[in-house]
Every structure is written in structure tokens, then in C-alpha cells.
């Protein structure tokens, strides 16, 4: 069973009724559609999007000897196909690896010190801001 948590690049074998194929998974690949995964298929020399739940049960780890042989045989083609794939999906790759920018810091607003003789002005401003042109305190509403 394939486990991509161990290595950044996983080499494994897809076993099907039609035959066996070496597949490669790279953690650097952009995320595929929901429920799907990108794998490099050595027989087709291309990165292909597979339905993960279907392909996952047929993927198997290689032995150390098989892994060395697979790397020796397929590494050059794999690197070329990978570079082409990543180039086509460069916007996705940049988005995956982009570090979130910190939120810009807001400048601190410093209140000017209020002197004791300016207290009357502050009171007037508060009273003026409450004056909205309506006389809410009149007894006119209570008249018959």
C-alpha cells in the first residue's frame, strides 16, 4: 500500500489485471481534484490524474532492489515529465508553497494629551454631537 508520508517522492507499483506499472508520486505536485491524485505513469511517460480510492488499493511499495532499479531506469524521464508538469501548473505550485504574508500592522493612534483648560471644549463637542435637530425632551408629544 502506498504511503507518501515517508518520502517526498514515492516510487511504487500499480498492479492490475492488464499488468504492472511503476508509478511515482511527488509531494510537490499541486493538489488534484477532490478524491483524485496525480501520479507519474512510467509506461505512458506522463503525469496522470487517477481516482485515488480506485488506484490506492492497487498500489504497492517496491523492495529496495526494485526501487534502485526503478530509479536507474525511469529517473531521467521522470525528471523531464515532472519539470514539464510543474511548468504547466506553476500557478498552482506557487500557491501551494506561498507562505502567508503577515497582516500589515496598523499604526498606533496616539491621543494628544488633553490639558485641563481644554476640558470645556470637549464637553461642548459631546453636547453638539448629541444635537440632531430633534427636541426629544419636549412635552409636545404628550399634548392631546
Amino acid at each position: 500500500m502506498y504511503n507518501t508520508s515517508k518520502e517526498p517522492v514515492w516510487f511504487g507499483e500499480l498492479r492490475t489485471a492488464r499488468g504492472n506499472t511503476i508509478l511515482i508520486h511527488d509531494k510537490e505536485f499541486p493538489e488534484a481534484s477532490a478524491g483524485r491524485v496525480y501520479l507519474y505513469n512510467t509506461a505512458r511517460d506522463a503525469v496522470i490524474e487517477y481516482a485515488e480510492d480506485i488506484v490506492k488499493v492497487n498500489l504497492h511499495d517496491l523492495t529496495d532492489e526494485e526501487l534502485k532499479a526503478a530509479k536507474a531506469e525511469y529517473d531521467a524521464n521522470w525528471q523531464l515529465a515532472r519539470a514539464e508538469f510543474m511548468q504547466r501548473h506553476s500557478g498552482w505550485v506557487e500557491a501551494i508553497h506561498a507562505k502567508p504574508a503577515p497582516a500589515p500592522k496598523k499604526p498606533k493612534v496616539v491621543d494628544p494629551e488633553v490639558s485641563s483648560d481644554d476640558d470645556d471644549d470637549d464637553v461642548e463637542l459631546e453636547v453638539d454631537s448629541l444635537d440632531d435637530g430633534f427636541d426629544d425632551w419636549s412635552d409636545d408629544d404628550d399634548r392631546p
Side-chain angles (χ1 to χ4, degrees):
M1 191 67 145
Y2 95 114
N3 181 359
T4 61
S5 64
K6 294 178 185 175
E7 298 291 326
V9 177
W10 177 86
F11 284 73
E13 186 175 43
L14 174 64
R15 298 178 185 164
T16 66
R18 289 190 224 158
N20 301 342
T21 304
I22 301 296
L23 297 182
I24 302 171
H25 179 267
D26 189 338
K27 284 186 177 182
E28 297 287 318
F29 281 164
E31 251 184 68
S33 306
R36 302 185 66 80
V37 63
Y38 287 117
L39 298 167
Y40 172 73
N41 183 313
T42 58
R44 295 170 70 181
D45 191 26
V47 177
I48 300 170
E49 186 175 12
Y50 291 89
E52 190 171 19
D53 58 341
I54 295 172
V55 75
K56 188 175 184 177
V57 295
N58 294 314
L59 293 175
H60 300 276
D61 290 321
L62 299 175
T63 65
D64 290 340
E65 295 160 3
E66 292 170 329
L67 181 60
K68 286 179 186 176
K71 285 183 178 182
E73 185 173 349
Y74 302 115
D75 195 54
N77 289 345
W78 148 244
Q79 293 299 333
L80 289 173
R82 180 190 186 281
E84 182 182 316
F85 180 78
M86 296 299 262
Q87 181 66 32
R88 282 187 305 197
H89 297 92
S90 63
W92 296 354
V93 174
E94 289 171 10
I96 290 171
H97 295 293
K99 293 182 180 178
K105 294 183 179 181
K106 295 181 182 178
K108 292 183 179 180
V109 178
V110 179
D111 290 334
E113 290 185 30
V114 179
S115 63
S116 61
D117 57 82
D118 289 341
D119 288 341
D120 294 337
D121 293 338
D122 290 339
V123 172
E124 286 180 29
L125 291 175
E126 289 177 19
V127 172
D128 288 342
S129 66
L130 294 176
D131 185 20
D132 56 4
F134 294 101
D135 190 10
D136 295 333
W137 302 102
S138 68
D139 291 334
D140 293 342
D141 294 337
D142 295 336
R143 291 187 190 167

